[in-house]
Amino acid sequence: MTTEELISNSNKYIMGTYARLPVALVRGEGVRVWDADGKEYLDFLAGIAVCALGHSNPLVSAAICAQAETLMHVSNIYHIEPQIRLAGLLVENSFADKVFFCNSGAEANEAAIKLARKYAHEHMGGNRYRIISMRNSFHGRTLATLTATGQERFQKGFDPLPTGFGYAPFDDLASLDRAVTEDVCAVLLEVIQGEGGVRVPQKGYLEGVRRICDDKGVLLILDEVQTGMGRTGDLFAYEKSGVAPDIMTLAKALGNGFPVGAMLATDRVAVSFTPGSHASTFGGNPLAMAAGLAVMDALLHRGVLDNCREVGAYFRDRLEGLKREHSIVREIRGRGLMIGVELSIEGADIVKGCMERGLLLNCTCGNILRFVPPLIITKGDVDQAVAILGGVMQEL
Ligand SMILES: *Cc1c(COP(=O)(O)O)cnc(C)c1O
């Protein structure tokens, strides 16, 4: 089908939950994707920080194919060999002692919220159940994670929302300290806010959050759904701070495009989940775990993190160059290959212009261009992207 036919059928059959661009991508390889009319694009969005090892990564594809021919699905009523191996790798390379697998970021955060509540009921007396999250955050679209998401535009029309949530401004320790009252059991936050506009907190912020949580005896949950799995140049973004959470959630890049989510915790907290506490039919199924194992292998042993740090620094440098030439560029921020470009104008026309010239990116919060490309991009890819972006800015 041509793009035009696809769009017409899409509008006919698919619920209108997305403001889709008029493109249908049908094939991908590495950093590049092709649409239904054969046009090539440099993909600096990567399915929103999902395809960290590039599209159709041969190692991931081979692992999925081999697993599909061996055992695709069995119930968590049984022990699952690839699940045990992936959990082992995540535990050996993080603060955590135990893993629960699910299928998405929202589900991972749901699991984290449930675990924090269960732990609180057992260890903090009966009256501590509130979760404090940050203004401008994003944690998912289920009712509980939507409520934790500190942005009214996502919540409008879905009330009554679940109770037991509260908010504090991001990157503001004094306000967080005031928000963590006697009835709070956990603080939930992103290490760098993603959907909220690639907001990097001040140095020492995460350490300060940890200190507040420890002083008040509440759990720290880090949502690393976007920042985790190498995106910021470390396997997990919390590593740079030198402090660790009690619970962490992952999804997006964990399966490089195969849907996988995970909720990790220390033993102290994890023991509150006992048989029957929580479950997922598909969570941790062999096929998803095969994808996750291939991703972990690449991140740990194939130089992906080094490339992310090096090319990320180069990319930010090149963007600083654009900033000197174009007064509409207000600020470049980010870490590794999670980069935001704040503009003084709306970003939609720039996204559209780049797409027409063969570069995919997106825009959050109206005026913040977001780059979350595959972590395997080269400096040559960056040069090509910056040339396209510069050309589009020139024309405005
Ligand atoms: C994308 C995202 C989620 C939601 O993940 P889904 O897989 O869409 O449910 C949650 N938290 C953060 C930080 C995210 O970036």
Side-chain angles (χ1 to χ4, degrees):
M1 274 193 268
T2 64
T3 299
E4 205 174 313
E5 289 164 335
L6 284 169
I7 290 173
S8 148
N9 281 349
S10 176
N11 292 336
K12 184 171 174 200
Y13 295 120
I14 310 276
M15 281 199 201
T17 53
Y18 303 98
R20 296 177 198 265
L21 293 163
V23 170
L25 301 170
V26 296
R27 187 166 71 83
E29 193 183 317
V31 188
R32 286 170 176 78
V33 288
W34 287 265
D35 71 18
D37 300 332
K39 180 175 168 178
E40 180 178 311
Y41 302 84
L42 192 56
D43 186 5
F44 270 42
L45 186 61
I48 313 192
V50 168
C51 305
L53 305 179
H55 293 279
S56 308
N57 179 283
L59 296 171
V60 180
S61 298
I64 290 173
C65 289
Q67 189 62 51
E69 290 173 345
T70 307
L71 183 68
M72 191 130 60
H73 179 83
V74 283
S75 168
N76 280 304
I77 290 172
Y78 311 104
H79 292 279
I80 298 174
E81 194 250 1
Q83 186 182 117
I84 299 161
R85 282 198 288 137
L86 181 54
L89 274 182
L90 289 169
V91 164
E92 294 310 322
N93 289 284
S94 74
F95 74 96
D97 300 307
K98 294 284 192 292
V99 185
F100 173 85
F101 287 106
C102 52
N103 313 286
S104 70
E107 263 186 82
N109 286 328
E110 282 277 342
I113 291 164
K114 282 182 70 177
L115 179 59
R117 287 253 180 103
K118 189 98 186 327
Y119 177 85
H121 279 294
E122 290 170 2
H123 297 280
M124 298 180 182
N127 296 319
R128 296 179 66 170
Y129 56 85
R130 281 174 71 233
I131 312 264
I132 300 298
S133 58
M134 303 301 134
R135 297 255 170 235
N136 206 38
S137 61
F138 186 82
H139 298 295
R141 303 290 198 139
T142 62
L143 276 172
T145 59
L146 178 69
T147 308
T149 292
Q151 304 192 55
E152 275 161 21
R153 66 191 168 105
F154 292 118
Q155 300 173 342
K156 244 184 95 196
F158 297 111
D159 43 326
L161 296 173
T163 53
F165 292 86
Y167 311 96
F170 185 60
D171 202 13
D172 177 346
L173 290 171
S175 298
L176 178 64
D177 191 55
R178 280 193 299 276
V180 180
T181 47
E182 293 277 279
D183 55 356
V184 169
C185 69
V187 169
L188 164 63
L189 83 157
E190 298 155 88
V191 181
I192 295 172
Q193 290 191 329
E195 302 297 314
V198 192
R199 304 206 188 256
V200 185
Q202 293 163 54
K203 212 166 180 299
Y205 175 64
L206 205 55
E207 294 90 320
V209 173
R210 180 74 263 185
R211 209 173 313 117
I212 290 170
C213 290
D214 289 344
D215 286 351
K216 306 206 174 188
V218 310
L219 299 174
L220 174 58
I221 307 170
L222 291 182
D223 178 345
E224 291 233 29
V225 167
Q226 190 161 155
T227 54
M229 304 311 291
R231 176 55 52 192
T232 66
D234 292 304
L235 190 55
F236 306 113
Y238 77 82
E239 290 171 25
K240 218 178 178 59
S241 69
V243 298
D246 302 291
I247 302 174
M248 173 173 77
T249 55
L250 300 173
K252 291 203 162 84
L254 181 52
N256 203 54
F258 196 94
V260 199
M263 188 269 289
L264 290 72
T266 59
D267 265 331
R268 176 172 73 98
V269 181
V271 291
S272 289
F273 265 5
T274 52
S277 296
H278 197 51
S280 164
T281 296
F282 293 129
N285 101 351
L287 204 53
M289 298 298 97
L293 280 165
V295 169
M296 277 300 275
D297 177 61
L299 294 182
L300 292 174
H301 305 301
R302 292 172 195 268
V304 176
L305 299 180
D306 288 337
N307 189 70
C308 172
R309 278 193 285 263
E310 190 186 334
V311 179
Y314 177 75
F315 192 9
R316 284 198 302 282
D317 261 8
R318 295 288 327 261
L319 289 169
E320 289 291 347
L322 272 190
K323 179 172 173 242
R324 286 190 289 275
E325 289 166 31
H326 300 279
S327 61
I328 55 162
V329 179
R330 261 201 209 138
E331 190 186 25
I332 315 295
R333 52 182 184 245
R335 197 191 292 169
L337 280 166
M338 179 172 182
I339 300 174
V341 175
E342 183 168 328
L343 305 172
S344 59
I345 59 164
E346 290 286 298
D349 285 344
I350 292 187
V351 170
K352 190 162 161 275
C354 286
M355 200 181 75
E356 282 162 10
R357 292 168 185 233
L359 171 67
L360 303 181
L361 65 144
N362 91 329
C363 178
T364 70
C365 307
N367 67 328
I368 297 154
L369 302 179
R370 174 170 48 173
F371 297 93
V372 279
L375 307 181
I376 56 159
I377 59 168
T378 63
K379 289 179 181 172
D381 296 327
V382 168
D383 290 340
Q384 195 184 338
V386 170
I388 293 173
L389 181 61
V392 171
M393 284 180 173
Q394 198 67 49
E395 273 193 0
L396 282 178

